[in-house]
Amino acid sequence: MELKLYVDRLSQPSRAILIFCKANGIEFEEVKILIGKMQHRSPEFAEINPMKQLPAIVHGDFKLFESHAILIYLASAFSGVADHWYPTDIYKRAKVHSVLDWHHSNLRRGSVGYLFNTRIALAFGLPLDPKASAEGEKLLSASLAMIESYWLEKDEPFLLGNSQPSIADLALVCEIMQLEVADEEDRDRILGPHKRIMKWIDDTKNATAPYFDEIHSMLPLAKEKLKELKVQASKQ
Amino acid sequence: MELKLYVDRLSQPSRAILIFCKANGIEFEEVKILIGKMQHRSPEFAEINPMKQLPAIVHGDFKLFESHAILIYLASAFSGVADHWYPTDIYKRAKVHSVLDWHHSNLRRGSVGYLFNTRIALAFGLPLDPKASAEGEKLLSASLAMIESYWLEKDEPFLLGNSQPSIADLALVCEIMQLEVADEEDRDRILGPHKRIMKWIDDTKNATAPYFDEIHSMLPLAKEKLKELKVQASKQ
């Protein structure tokens, strides 16, 4: 059955799915839906995902959206995926679900709230919102502190005291990588205090090499473009 | 193994878990953690859930939090649970995950944003925030419209065109039931246009009778208390 991934590498959950497929030898067609050109809001894409958000997949005639649901589906539908990505043990699996659910209202909400309102809004011709940005940063920083003090508390390299990554490591690390599009000083201020998280990002990168770097390779260019937009906006 | 549910019936995801256990004949001890008395913020409860949120469970020596993860775990760990609650078929299961993930950033976020800022904040001695309330109502109404036009689009009574409820029906309906603590006119304004949703609530209630009404029976009292607080606040 043919697998199509409807993604934009600028979208952090899109990257998690691309890396997951490549790291697990799952063949797919990458259908680029460019957020910057609002292609995800088109009537054609609404046929794939009525919520008009990325990522989405079509596998044979089965359509699915929501990145965590997609990662779980791919880990379950393709027999070659190693158990550590989505453990069959119900206790270990429950903990993976727990991190993924927590992610929605904490790390992801904070990260998106911060980045959209400090930078990404400009790409959509919207004004920046310093209050929403500050609220986003507060939640983002609290989430990073919780990852460091709780989810990564054990000596093993990955979340939940695991020696190998799960889909939760990939989802959360790709979210944090989005800070690459922020100013260096902002990124350093937010991530700098979290040495354990920096190590975890490296461990996840190494566990999925060379695909992690390959899929993230466009972030520096996106950062420069957003920087230009900020300079232009500050002149208006 | 002993199952303890750490819950407050005022919390919508707590109610979903209580109803799920009762409807499936799962024995448990209900450990009441009163949000109004800030018991969920205590160091003792942080030993159960370091995020200091409800609900959480302890099953034997296994601890778990995040309500969707809990519902999935309970449906998997107890052999008497009928398949429709959390289907083993990977396509059906993936769709249940998709609804649950969507819930986080849409219906739940809208509902909590609306209710906290129109009413519940008062119970914590915090001011109401009309702007945040309006944003919450906008997301809540858009989410209800999406449930009606997409998630419930088929002729069957439950989400995803199912003839019997899944854990997603329970999670989402319990969220919507929280509107019972709002003013009648507000609830009618928000829910009134959605006849299909009203029917779905009734179908979910009937499918889990008599437990649904039993677990929701304290909402009218909570509503009266919040109403009094609003009257008091308006006099200050």
Side-chain angles (χ1 to χ4, degrees), chain A residues 61-80:
Chain A
D61 58 3
F62 181 66
K63 290 177 188 170
L64 191 65
F65 56 86
E66 283 292 339
S67 65
H68 297 172
I70 292 171
L71 286 167
I72 291 173
Y73 170 77
L74 294 172
S76 309
F78 289 86
S79 56

Side-chain angles (χ1 to χ4, degrees), chain A residues 43-59:
Chain A
E44 294 76 27
F45 184 63
E47 293 293 312
I48 304 297
N49 179 359
M51 305 304 165
K52 301 183 178 179
Q53 287 178 325
L54 294 182
I57 67 167
V58 178
H59 188 205

Side-chain angles (χ1 to χ4, degrees), chain A residues 101 104-105, chain B residues 66 68 100-106 108-109:
Chain A
D101 283 325
H104 280 287
S105 310
Chain B
E66 283 291 339
H68 297 171
L100 289 172
D101 283 324
W102 176 85
H103 181 207
H104 280 286
S105 310
N106 293 280
R108 176 151 181 81
R109 185 167 170 179

